[in-house]
Amino acid sequence: MEELIRKAEEMGINVEDVLIALISKNDPKEEVRLRLEVARKYMAECDKYLKEGDPVQASEKAYKVAEELVKALAEKFNLEEYQKALREGRWYVYSLGSAAAKLSQMLGNWVIDGWDSAYALHVWGFHEAKWTINDILSRVERVRKMLEESEKVLNT
C-alpha cells in the first residue's frame, strides 16, 4: 500500500484529494467537512513535532493545514480556482495562492497571512530545512489563527 501511495505521489497525484473527492461525490458539503477534519489532524501533528523539536516536519504539517483550509474555503465559496481544480483533477500551488488572495478580500487578512506564512514554512522550513523551531513559531501561530477563523466560516 505504501508503495502504491508513493508512486501516485511521484506522479503528482494527491492521494488525500482523490479520496476526499470520491467520498464526497454524492454530498459536496462532505468535502468541506473532511478537509476541515484533515486540517485539524495536521495541526495536531504540527504541535506534536513542535514539542519534539522537529521544525522540518512541523513546518510541513502547518503548510498542509493551510492547503486544506484554502481548498475547503474555495469550495464553500465556489471560487474559479476550485472549479479549475475540479476540471483538471488537481490543485496547483499558484491556484492556492490566487484563491487565498480572493478569500482574503472576502473574509479578511487572516487568510492571506495564514497562507503566506504556510508557504514560507513549506519552502524554508521544510524543503530547504533552514529554520529552527524559534524561526517557525510565529508563522505556525498565523496558520493556527487561519484554522480558528476558518472553523467559524466553515461551520456556519
Side-chain angles (χ1 to χ4, degrees), residues 12-29:
I13 298 169
N14 183 317
V15 176
E16 280 183 349
D17 277 350
V18 171
L19 291 174
I20 288 172
L22 289 171
I23 291 168
S24 62
K25 195 170 191 169
N26 294 327
D27 183 3
K29 289 182 181 177

Side-chain angles (χ1 to χ4, degrees), residues 69-101:
L69 294 174
V70 169
K71 290 175 183 178
L73 290 165
E75 180 182 346
K76 179 174 177 82
F77 293 100
N78 198 27
L79 296 186
E80 145 189 355
E81 291 82 358
Y82 169 70
Q83 290 301 319
K84 181 179 180 184
L86 283 179
R87 282 191 309 276
E88 297 185 6
R90 67 175 295 187
W91 279 89
Y92 295 94
V93 175
Y94 72 88
S95 295
L96 291 165
S98 177

Side-chain angles (χ1 to χ4, degrees), residues 1-9:
M1 181 62 109
E2 288 178 24
E3 183 179 346
L4 179 65
I5 292 170
R6 184 184 52 76
K7 285 187 179 202
E9 289 174 346

Side-chain angles (χ1 to χ4, degrees), residues 1 7 13 24 34 38 42 47 52 58 61 69 75 78-79 85 92 110 113 127 129 140 150 156:
M1 181 62 109
K7 285 187 179 202
I13 298 169
S24 62
L34 287 170
V38 170
Y42 281 133
D47 289 337
E52 292 173 1
K61 298 306 178 182
L69 294 174
E75 180 182 346
N78 198 27
L79 296 186
Y92 295 94
W110 56 266
D113 289 346
H127 282 294
V140 169
S150 294
T156 57

Side-chain angles (χ1 to χ4, degrees), residues 55-57 59-61 120-130:
V56 174
Q57 289 303 313
S59 293
E60 185 62 0
K61 298 306 178 182
L121 288 165
H122 182 64
V123 173
W124 296 107
F126 179 69
H127 282 294
E128 299 295 327
K130 298 291 185 188

